[in-house]
Amino acid sequence: MKLYCLSGHPTLPCNVLKFKSTTIMLDCGLDTTSALYFLPLPLVHSSRLSKLPGWASKDGTVNLEKELKECAGRVFVDSQPEFCLPERELLDLSTVDVILISNYHCMMALPYITEHTGFSGTVYATEPTFQIGRLLMEELVTFMERVPKAQSATCWKNKEIQRMLPGPLKDAVDVWSWKRCYSMQEVNSALSKVQLVGYSQKVELFGAVQVTPLSSGYSLGSSNWIIQSHYEKVSYVSGSSLLTTHPQPMDQSSLKNSDVLILTGLTQIPTANPDGMLGEFCSNLAMTIRAGGNVLVPCYSSGVIYDLLECLYQFMDSANLGTTPFYFISPVANSSLEFSQIFAEWLCQNKQSKVYLPEPPFPHAELIQTNKLKHYPSIHGEFSSEFRQPCVVFTGHPSLRFGDVVHFMELWGKSSLNTIIFTEPDFSYLDALAPYQPLAMKCVYCPIDTRLNFHQVSKLLKEVQPLHVVCPEQYTQPPPAQSHRSDLMLELQPPPMAYRRCSVLGLPFRRRYERIQLQPELAKALVPSEIKPGISVATVSAVLQSKDNKHVLQPVPKPTPVPPSKKRKRLMEEVPELLSPKPLLSGSIPLDAFLASLHKSGITEVKVEETADGHILHLQAEDALIQLEEDATHIVCDNNEPLRTALRDLVLRFLQKL
Amino acid sequence: MPDIKVTPLGAGQDVGRSCILVSVGGKNIMLDCGMHMGYNDDRRFPDFSYITQNGRLTDFLDCVIISHFHLDHCGALPYMSEMVGYDGPIYMTHPTKAICPILLEDFRKITVDKKGETNFFTSQMIKDCMKKVVPLNLHQTVQVDDELEIKAYYAGHVLGAAMVLIKVGSESVVYTGDYNMTPDRHLGAAWIDKCRPDILISESTYATTIRDSKRCRERDFLKKVHETIERGGKVLIPVFALGRAQELCILLETFWYRMNLKAPIYFSTGLTEKANHYYKLFITWTNQKIRKTFVQRNMFEFKHIKAFDRSYADNPGPMVVFATPGMLHAGQSLQIFKKWAGNEKNMVIMPGYCVQGTVGHKILNGQKKLEMEGRATLEVKLQVEYMSFSAHADAKGIMQLIRMAEPRNMLLVHGEAKKMEFLKDKIEQEFSISCYMPANGETTTVTTNPSVPVDISLNLLKREMALGGPLPDPKKPRTMHGTLIMKDSSLRLVSPEQALKELGLSEHQLRFTCRVHLQDPHSDSDTLSRIYSHLKSVLKGYAVQHLPDGTVMVESIVLKVSSSGEDPNLKVILLSWSYQVNVENFLATVSLFWIRVIMQL
């Protein structure tokens, strides 16, 4: 069993597991942090961004004025943003049989994998993951296609040139694997390969392996996966949460007894407590609104936003800010809000019971009904005429490089009355803000990451006790910025097996058994004999049938009678393989009892001679010898078939047969 | 020999009060717990005393599974759990869990408040009963206990309807509840995988019907409604609040929109609005088209269909009214029917099956005078139309499901005996499987023949599979040999060598040596060479080797020639072989035979 690690990003994993005869890809996360190296894509023409100076090295040897622009003291790539794909050279991706998706954030690279690699397998995901994943991809494509940029910058990626660039571009890694965004057509084609599954549904793969998604508590439809055969169990834990937010709670007990547990998707901000952050979010928001400023919340279109809206729903009235409008702007805002209400089965108990009333599970339905929350596909159209200030705007993309958020940065960045509140943990907020500097607007960083922290995960691992843990190398040491915090890493016995991008790990367990079915007729015909107290054995002779990785033992068919022919021919045609087999023998032959039974069969003239290892019996009348030793018996006689058979049967009577 | 027992307490050769007991692998499961619409006495509920005479059922049942929210499938549930007594788990899907208590409450109100019955379950009992419900998701494998697992499949029919697979070890039963094999305007078609259950228990409401195309029926329906409206008549459509009602509403809504009609459509109040809300929240249970477009346009937000008020029934002019309940046996639909029955311009359309004894059943049979409470008779002048819109599988659909699931046995419930008989013959002919149709209280026993799962050592399996070659040859089956070790409850099949090792036993070698005395004038080595070349030529396909140490090996049989000291012509041929190797015993015999033949030449 082997694990190929195609992504180095611990929360956006992409691993391939080879298990029995199957090749299973676990998630295909798309690392979008690479977008931070690019200039923002403004929705409305920005004179500031269009007049940036090009970059050339000081000595003038490298001139990339077309590709690179200097902005706010940093150098950015001026082209459509590119994303860092999972490694595609480590193994032949056309051999991947299935892809298991754990949550909608971890499937964004799907079109890159399923579309141009010869992939012909099936993708498994839950319905909410599939639907919301589709929305997020659609949003990403719309963001890109709305602001087409013909230029594609590649010169800077040249190793010789990149070396000469100023940081942080100089230090960007794997730049050749960066790709532009896919098209909607590719998204649709990729998603057509998805097969929907439900929690605790057992999915058979080629009869060899069974995979099962389990609730992971992180987002709508998010799952961990169990990959198992009858004897081996691998747990794949990705983005899980033990906090009570909207999704169904995490199923922990089903992870027990794993041989290997692959652990990814822990919190990216281990030092921030989500509840505290939520409080800070609300108080900063209220402060800004009260002062007459606007609040900008860069966010994904699904996920924490549901919790933020619910929290604000309760908070705004009590803070006496009930009239402040909320705007949610995204090409998929409406769909996201609508979809969130129809997945009752995937929600926590509390929300689930609401649909029995029947009421929508999320209170944002009420916010919409009372016109407190309005959603728009973009800043163009209705929004521009309807929007009122001060207000709160939720919009993407959290990288601040594309999407409607770019416009609000340009619009509100110059006023210190306004505040931008970062809640998504995926991007460094300083890097995100870099091309907008200098900024007058206030910046508040309250990352809300509900995924497991190190304390929770070590408790979880103690509970479920996997034999081996595999995790990204980042989890085996404290974060670089807090190198003294040994509590912010995994400390396990035995130590976890760490991987990085392009690692290939041999997983430490050996398969010993396989399940086989004995047909009832065969089982009935077995003759068990007790060898030791409580242990019986039976010799099994059967025909093995293997089909679709399922094995069945059938009784040996009776040989069809051979039509009589010449003796010689018949002798050769009897298929020896069909003769009954000879079992292995064990035990030893007690001399006296053996002599007695010889006597009983009419063999009376026996001369016993002692040897170093046992005895030699001379059967004088029959002119035969029997050599008896502890672990061996040798019958020597002339060509006298009946005698040999008789002696053999006598000997066998004293031995155990296996 | 293990067997599975199935006993219907209701729905055995009958429609109504579905309740089927299944015993499989030592587990007892109750499938559905319904009431009978046709009775008002004890017979309306299944006879639970069949399970036990004294008291509570908890000890006798491992779980109860409810297939969908129709009262003939869940109407007796609070009676069973709260009045007879059952505290174990009750499984149903989320939509069923949401809607079933509302229908139960409605049923209770009609029975207790309107008809004044006592000794009936109370609102509190419904609530307590629902607390025992465990929601079931589609395709999720639910482990009821260590051995019993159940899995739900989509059944169409009504929102949240499910078929269930019940599995204990390698034995399994599928119960369909009510299902529909053709998608309609708001629901998808039933689907199940090739799970090859030992028994498939199927409903058979439309066992003998093969329905014409749905499109025709819909056109017919719309034509009739339209004609009646045009001549100023009123149309009454008795429906149950959830199910066909939504289907027909979608149908009329789109028709009204297309034809730009103005006549009002009403839906009797109470459940309606709530009902539509459930459809909106459980949109994932509807058909693909509705699911795909719900963000843009929710099909359950009707523009032309308004809530009904009792006073509207006397309004002049045409109108269409959906009213509950569906069989005209009580409530608003019956009241409106009484008002409108005298006018031949009006029409009542019965869109589904009516149980014997209901007004619906009577008028469908052409009865023109109905006896009402008191001594009044009601003359039926309005037009009566029957249109099968109930979402049950027809004969074709049932056969289709059998093809999907490939059961080993078939068992029919929820249908009329005569019709079942016909279908039973057809199934037995077409699929060559046994088909049963037990009456209520009658037990069907099916003997299963499960295979025995065993752990085989991977070494042994791999070795065997390698020897068998890439493609098995059905004409030349290979026999494999192994030793089955039975210890506690584990069964492991390993190679005999491994078994010896594991059990700490040493092998006992049993060898045979056979001496053959022959007269041969040649030298020892010549004799051996002759034997070698002859054996080589006759034992084709076996390894016959002449070794430099002066022996011939036939596979692992050792052959030696020596001459006795006194007479150099008297040769002693020694054949020595081990007992274990099967082929050698055979070959030794053959070799001996040939040695004789050679020497006698």
Side-chain angles (χ1 to χ4, degrees):
Chain A
M1 177 182 295
K2 273 191 172 160
L3 189 73
Y4 297 77
C5 309
L6 311 187
S7 159
H9 195 300
T11 29
L12 297 166
C14 182
N15 293 314
V16 175
L17 178 70
K18 289 206 174 194
F19 181 26
K20 286 178 84 176
S21 47
T22 58
T23 305
I24 302 170
M25 180 179 278
L26 306 168
D27 277 332
C28 47
L30 182 65
D31 184 355
T32 50
T33 50
S34 53
L36 293 174
Y37 296 99
F38 291 77
L39 273 186
L41 290 180
L43 260 181
V44 178
H45 177 78
S46 154
S47 53
R48 182 180 76 94
L49 289 174
S50 58
K51 281 189 207 137
L52 295 172
W55 180 86
S57 65
K58 289 219 173 73
D59 55 7
T61 50
V62 184
N63 188 333
L64 290 173
E65 280 178 344
K66 284 234 168 81
E67 289 197 355
L68 304 180
K69 295 277 154 59
E70 271 184 82
C71 176
R74 268 206 211 189
V75 175
F76 293 91
V77 181
D78 184 17
S79 97
Q80 200 191 79
E82 295 180 341
F83 308 125
C84 178
L85 270 53
E87 186 58 48
R88 291 182 298 174
E89 306 297 321
L90 193 59
L91 85 163
D92 179 1
L93 293 177
S94 69
T95 62
V96 172
D97 297 310
V98 295
I99 303 179
L100 308 180
I101 303 293
S102 58
N103 63 66
Y104 46 76
H105 287 302
C106 292
M107 64 186 285
M108 298 299 280
L110 202 55
Y112 296 115
I113 303 291
T114 61
E115 297 317 295
H116 304 290
T117 60
F119 172 81
S120 60
T122 309
V123 182
Y124 290 96
T126 63
E127 183 165 10
T129 298
F130 168 76
Q131 295 290 8
I132 296 173
R134 185 171 55 80
L135 294 181
L136 294 183
M137 290 184 186
E138 202 180 304
E139 183 185 49
L140 198 63
V141 173
T142 315
F143 281 158
M144 296 297 166
E145 291 182 351
R146 224 162 43 173
V147 196
K149 210 160 189 168
Q151 177 169 316
S152 164
T154 52
C155 290
W156 71 273
K157 290 183 181 178
N158 194 311
K159 238 188 198 137
E160 292 305 305
I161 296 175
Q162 198 198 351
R163 214 159 40 89
M164 323 218 348
L165 300 179
L169 262 185
K170 185 171 73 175
D171 307 313
V173 289
D174 299 317
V175 291
W176 284 106
S177 78
W178 295 8
K179 286 276 171 310
R180 303 177 68 151
C181 188
Y182 31 73
S183 69
M184 208 52 218
Q185 193 191 350
E186 287 167 313
V187 170
N188 288 332
S189 169
L191 291 180
S192 69
K193 294 165 179 128
V194 174
Q195 181 145 353
L196 299 183
V197 288
Y199 288 151
S200 307
Q201 178 177 347
K202 296 175 178 173
V203 181
E204 286 271 333
L205 302 183
F206 316 108
V209 178
Q210 195 182 59
V211 297
T212 310
L214 305 173
S215 176
S216 78
Y218 168 60
S219 62
L220 264 177
S222 70
S223 22
N224 293 322
W225 290 85
I226 301 287
I227 302 126
Q228 63 187 340
S229 68
H230 283 287
Y231 307 94
E232 301 86 14
K233 178 170 173 178
V234 178
S235 295
Y236 173 55
V237 174
S238 171
S240 302
S241 176
L242 292 171
L243 298 180
T244 324
T245 57
H246 58 274
Q248 211 181 94
M250 177 181 180
D251 178 352
Q252 299 178 60
S253 59
S254 304
L255 299 172
K256 279 184 184 163
N257 303 323
S258 307
D259 295 288
V260 172
L261 186 143
I262 303 168
L263 180 68
T264 66
L266 299 184
T267 177
Q268 300 183 77
I269 320 287
T271 48
N273 163 17
D275 280 330
M277 288 295 133
L278 205 56
E280 224 168 282
F281 170 79
C282 287
S283 63
N284 277 295
L285 185 140
M287 210 148 61
T288 307
I289 299 287
R290 283 209 189 94
N294 300 297
V295 176
L296 178 61
V297 186
C299 63
Y300 292 114
S301 297
S302 179
V304 177
I305 184 172
Y306 303 140
D307 299 310
L308 290 179
L309 288 173
E310 180 158 6
C311 173
L312 288 177
Y313 165 83
Q314 291 157 357
F315 174 78
M316 293 308 270
D317 277 329
S318 65
N320 229 349
L321 296 165
T323 54
T324 313
F326 299 154
Y327 301 113
F328 177 15
I329 302 166
S330 156
V332 298
N334 183 27
S335 300
S336 166
L337 294 171
E338 288 285 337
F339 269 111
S340 68
Q341 304 287 21
I342 65 161
F343 291 126
E345 281 111 313
W346 309 86
L347 293 173
C348 63
Q349 192 76 50
N350 197 354
K351 296 220 173 319
Q352 217 171 70
S353 55
K354 279 201 166 175
V355 297
Y356 297 148
L357 295 177
E359 273 172 27
F362 285 98
H364 55 239
E366 198 187 316
L367 287 174
I368 295 170
Q369 224 166 33
T370 55
N371 270 327
K372 285 180 180 161
L373 171 64
K374 293 192 170 187
H375 52 82
Y376 301 91
S378 90
I379 52 164
H380 299 300
E382 278 176 34
F383 174 73
S384 48
S385 55
E386 288 178 9
F387 122 100
R388 247 175 343 104
Q389 305 191 58
C391 63
V392 181
V393 169
F394 296 89
T395 188
H397 185 270
S399 66
L400 306 189
R401 290 301 180 273
F402 44 88
D404 300 89
V405 71
V406 175
H407 177 70
F408 287 97
M409 286 307 295
E410 298 281 324
L411 190 69
W412 289 347
K414 295 164 210 99
S415 165
S416 60
L417 280 179
N418 302 327
T419 305
I420 177 168
I421 310 183
F422 291 89
T423 56
E424 299 291 353
D426 286 1
F427 301 91
S428 141
Y429 79 104
L430 289 174
D431 286 338
L433 289 172
Y436 301 98
Q437 298 292 3
L439 269 181
M441 118 197 267
K442 278 200 290 290
C443 300
V444 178
Y445 183 54
C446 332
I448 298 175
D449 195 332
T450 58
R451 286 173 275 219
L452 296 175
N453 61 34
F454 287 98
H455 176 69
Q456 291 165 327
V457 84
S458 62
K459 216 175 127 199
L460 172 76
L461 291 176
K462 246 179 225 151
E463 200 120 302
V464 304
Q465 296 208 319
L467 289 182
H468 302 277
V469 173
V470 176
C471 69
E473 61 176 356
Q474 288 92 332
Y475 298 161
T476 59
Q477 59 223 14
Q482 291 132 316
S483 53
H484 61 287
R485 293 284 300 268
S486 62
D487 57 325
L488 300 184
M489 61 179 276
L490 277 181
E491 273 186 291
L492 299 172
Q493 258 336 304
M497 304 177 65
Y499 71 81
R500 61 174 70 173
R501 192 177 168 106
C502 290
S503 295
V504 180
L505 303 183
L507 297 185
F509 65 84
R510 269 193 54 206
R511 298 179 46 225
R512 287 173 203 281
Y513 287 100
E514 181 60 272
R515 181 55 61 92
I516 199 165
Q517 301 284 338
L518 301 192
Q519 281 203 339
E521 299 76 33
L522 176 67
K524 243 177 283 166
L526 294 180
V527 190
S529 63
E530 194 165 48
I531 289 257
K532 289 177 178 178
I535 304 177
S536 306
V537 297
T539 330
V540 178
S541 301
V543 174
L544 173 68
Q545 281 269 354
S546 296
K547 196 171 137 193
D548 298 337
N549 288 315
K550 299 273 184 229
H551 311 288
V552 176
L553 281 181
Q554 298 171 334
V556 180
K558 297 226 166 61
T560 42
V562 183
S565 63
K566 276 162 98 186
K567 197 183 173 191
R568 284 180 194 182
K569 212 176 165 195
R570 192 170 71 222
L571 211 50
M572 291 313 297
E573 275 191 352
E574 263 173 38
V575 188
E577 277 151 320
L578 292 181
L579 294 177
S580 73
K582 295 293 178 283
L584 283 188
L585 303 173
S586 177
S588 57
I589 295 169
L591 180 68
D592 293 341
F594 184 65
L595 285 174
S597 60
L598 276 180
H599 200 89
K600 233 189 227 167
S601 343
I603 301 170
T604 48
E605 283 176 66
V606 181
K607 201 177 124 207
V608 180
E609 182 187 320
E610 206 152 317
T611 64
D613 300 315
H615 300 88
I616 295 178
L617 281 55
H618 295 262
L619 314 188
Q620 290 175 318
E622 291 78 10
D623 189 19
L625 281 178
I626 303 175
Q627 201 175 338
L628 290 181
E629 285 172 15
E630 181 67 24
D631 284 329
T633 301
H634 194 170
I635 298 173
V636 184
C637 63
D638 282 350
N639 187 22
N640 180 348
E641 187 75 34
L643 174 69
R644 192 170 63 233
T645 314
L647 291 175
R648 180 194 68 192
D649 293 345
L650 270 182
V651 167
L652 288 179
R653 220 182 282 168
F654 291 94
L655 295 173
Q656 287 160 333
K657 294 151 206 83
L658 287 175
Chain B
M1 192 90 87
D3 47 33
I4 303 177
K5 290 194 170 79
V6 182
T7 315
L9 295 187
Q13 304 181 2
D14 186 18
V15 177
R17 60 164 189 188
S18 284
C19 184
I20 296 132
L21 298 179
V22 171
S23 267
V24 49
K27 305 284 168 185
N28 298 317
I29 300 113
M30 179 186 283
L31 301 168
D32 279 338
C33 190
M35 52 86 73
H36 203 295
M37 307 267 187
Y39 299 117
N40 282 322
D41 51 20
D42 282 353
R43 287 174 295 174
R44 90 181 129 206
F45 291 149
D47 179 12
F48 297 113
S49 67
Y50 177 92
I51 303 173
T52 172
Q53 296 284 347
N54 25 6
R56 305 179 70 77
L57 304 176
T58 313
D59 295 340
F60 300 89
L61 292 175
D62 291 279
C63 74
V64 174
I65 303 170
I66 302 295
S67 65
H68 64 287
F69 60 63
H70 278 155
L71 288 176
D72 59 330
H73 293 260
C74 70
L77 196 57
Y79 171 75
M80 192 274 304
S81 74
E82 305 311 306
M83 297 175 78
V84 181
Y86 169 73
D87 299 321
I90 301 168
Y91 292 95
M92 54 178 83
T93 65
H94 283 272
T96 309
K97 187 184 171 191
I99 295 165
C100 137
I102 294 165
L103 298 183
L104 286 170
E105 181 58 29
D106 211 47
F107 173 41
R108 189 197 67 80
K109 267 193 201 147
I110 291 177
T111 319
V112 177
D113 299 354
K114 295 226 170 111
K115 294 188 187 158
E117 275 187 53
T118 51
N119 193 22
F120 202 73
F121 54 78
T122 63
S123 296
Q124 189 54 45
M125 286 178 182
I126 298 175
K127 281 186 193 137
D128 292 341
C129 166
M130 294 312 290
K131 279 183 197 144
K132 297 170 185 169
V133 171
V134 182
L136 202 56
N137 295 325
L138 285 183
H139 300 166
Q140 170 194 22
T141 302
V142 174
Q143 216 69 47
V144 177
D145 57 34
D146 286 347
E147 287 148 351
L148 171 61
E149 59 178 51
I150 57 178
K151 180 178 178 182
Y153 293 91
Y154 191 78
H157 189 60
V158 288
L159 196 72
M163 311 192 273
V164 274
L165 167 70
I166 299 143
K167 214 169 159 189
V168 181
S170 57
E171 295 173 280
S172 59
V173 175
V174 168
Y175 173 60
T176 64
D178 292 353
Y179 63 103
N180 187 9
M181 295 299 287
T182 44
D184 57 27
R185 274 168 195 271
H186 78 291
L187 295 173
W191 178 85
I192 195 161
D193 50 27
K194 206 180 280 303
C195 53
R196 299 196 173 96
D198 291 301
I199 308 180
L200 173 63
I201 305 174
S202 171
E203 65 134 328
S204 49
T205 323
Y206 289 117
T208 52
T209 320
I210 289 180
R211 284 185 288 182
D212 48 0
S213 92
K214 220 184 63 192
R215 212 168 274 271
C216 289
R217 262 178 290 143
E218 289 179 354
R219 213 170 36 221
D220 247 27
F221 169 79
L222 293 171
K223 198 173 136 212
K224 283 188 176 132
V225 172
H226 195 193
E227 280 168 6
T228 311
I229 296 296
E230 290 284 278
R231 63 167 183 262
K234 297 177 166 63
V235 182
L236 171 65
I237 308 171
V239 288
F240 287 99
L242 294 123
R244 291 307 87 194
Q246 280 67 29
E247 177 77 5
L248 295 175
C249 281
I250 293 174
L251 188 61
L252 280 191
E253 169 90 8
T254 36
F255 186 68
W256 249 237
Y257 174 77
R258 210 175 61 221
M259 306 292 288
N260 199 17
L261 296 179
K262 293 285 179 279
I265 308 175
Y266 296 115
F267 204 123
S268 73
T269 42
L271 293 173
T272 334
E273 233 166 306
K274 226 176 177 183
N276 287 341
H277 216 110
Y278 280 119
Y279 278 84
K280 281 185 232 167
L281 292 172
F282 287 113
I283 213 103
T284 52
W285 286 79
T286 59
N287 70 26
Q288 202 157 15
K289 192 180 158 203
I290 293 187
R291 274 185 355 230
K292 256 193 171 155
T293 55
F294 90 105
V295 175
Q296 290 78 42
R297 177 161 178 252
N298 199 316
M299 287 296 262
F300 300 103
E301 273 160 20
F302 301 115
K303 287 198 184 71
H304 294 93
I305 301 171
K306 311 249 159 36
F308 180 74
D309 185 276
R310 194 172 295 190
S311 61
Y312 296 173
D314 298 321
N315 284 359
M319 68 173 84
V320 179
V321 175
F322 289 96
T324 57
M327 300 186 193
L328 285 178
H329 54 280
Q332 201 154 33
S333 63
L334 187 59
Q335 280 172 19
I336 300 172
F337 176 75
K338 283 187 208 161
K339 277 194 180 158
W340 294 357
N343 190 341
E344 60 276 357
K345 270 208 285 189
N346 296 341
M347 177 182 282
V348 61
I349 300 180
M350 307 297 299
Y353 184 86
C354 285
V355 165
Q356 211 155 19
T358 58
V359 173
H361 188 262
K362 286 175 194 160
I363 60 169
L364 279 181
N365 279 340
Q367 213 167 313
K368 287 291 172 201
K369 279 200 177 125
L370 296 173
E371 283 182 33
M372 291 289 135
E373 306 99 77
R375 246 166 282 141
T377 55
L378 181 68
E379 242 181 286
V380 181
K381 286 190 186 157
L382 90 177
Q383 297 180 50
V384 178
E385 293 290 343
Y386 171 71
M387 296 208 148
S388 162
F389 276 99
S390 45
H392 290 278
D394 60 2
K396 214 164 67 188
I398 295 170
M399 302 303 258
Q400 203 182 332
L401 187 78
I402 299 175
R403 233 164 273 135
M404 263 183 177
E406 292 190 358
R408 296 192 181 88
N409 296 279
M410 189 72 194
L411 192 145
L412 300 177
V413 294
H414 199 284
E416 292 159 28
K418 251 192 211 154
K419 295 183 180 174
M420 278 185 183
E421 202 84 57
F422 174 83
L423 185 64
K424 172 176 144 68
D425 288 347
K426 216 172 135 181
I427 291 170
E428 286 180 337
Q429 259 175 37
E430 193 166 332
F431 298 102
S432 322
I433 56 175
S434 307
C435 183
Y436 306 89
M437 39 175 282
N440 287 336
E442 189 186 323
T443 301
T444 297
T445 306
V446 169
T447 303
T448 58
N449 206 1
S451 50
V452 181
V454 159
D455 302 342
I456 185 170
S457 117
L458 205 57
N459 290 338
L460 178 62
L461 181 68
K462 279 195 171 156
R463 193 175 74 194
E464 283 302 320
M465 286 176 52
L467 287 173
L471 287 170
D473 182 355
K475 278 189 197 149
K476 250 181 139 185
R478 264 191 55 82
T479 311
M480 69 168 278
H481 308 299
T483 303
L484 188 65
I485 305 179
M486 289 164 264
K487 189 180 167 188
D488 303 323
S489 58
S490 83
L491 295 176
R492 289 179 307 127
L493 184 61
V494 298
S495 63
E497 296 81 6
Q498 194 184 336
L500 273 182
K501 218 165 124 193
E502 271 188 39
L503 297 169
L505 303 172
S506 50
E507 192 189 340
H508 190 103
Q509 293 283 348
L510 177 56
R511 280 193 79 80
F512 302 101
T513 298
C514 181
R515 293 171 299 199
V516 186
H517 300 264
L518 291 167
Q519 284 290 334
D520 190 26
H522 304 285
S523 72
D524 291 0
S525 58
D526 279 358
T527 310
L528 193 68
S529 297
R530 276 180 65 203
I531 292 173
Y532 166 71
S533 49
H534 272 88
L535 286 179
K536 180 103 182 154
S537 70
V538 292
L539 293 177
K540 285 195 179 84
Y542 296 97
V544 181
Q545 290 168 286
H546 193 162
L547 298 179
D549 66 349
T551 56
V552 165
M553 298 276 288
V554 179
E555 296 287 335
S556 68
I557 302 171
V558 182
L559 238 146
K560 271 187 194 161
V561 176
S562 62
S563 42
S564 74
E566 298 121 48
D567 180 1
N569 287 350
L570 185 66
K571 298 283 186 294
V572 180
I573 301 170
L574 286 173
L575 268 104
S576 178
W577 69 95
S578 161
Y579 166 75
Q580 265 75 31
V581 195
N582 179 47
V583 183
E584 268 67 0
N585 281 295
F586 166 79
L587 279 180
T589 322
V590 177
S591 305
L592 275 171
F593 169 78
W594 280 108
I595 290 167
R596 286 257 171 63
V597 172
I598 298 160
M599 295 307 161
Q600 281 157 11
L601 285 177

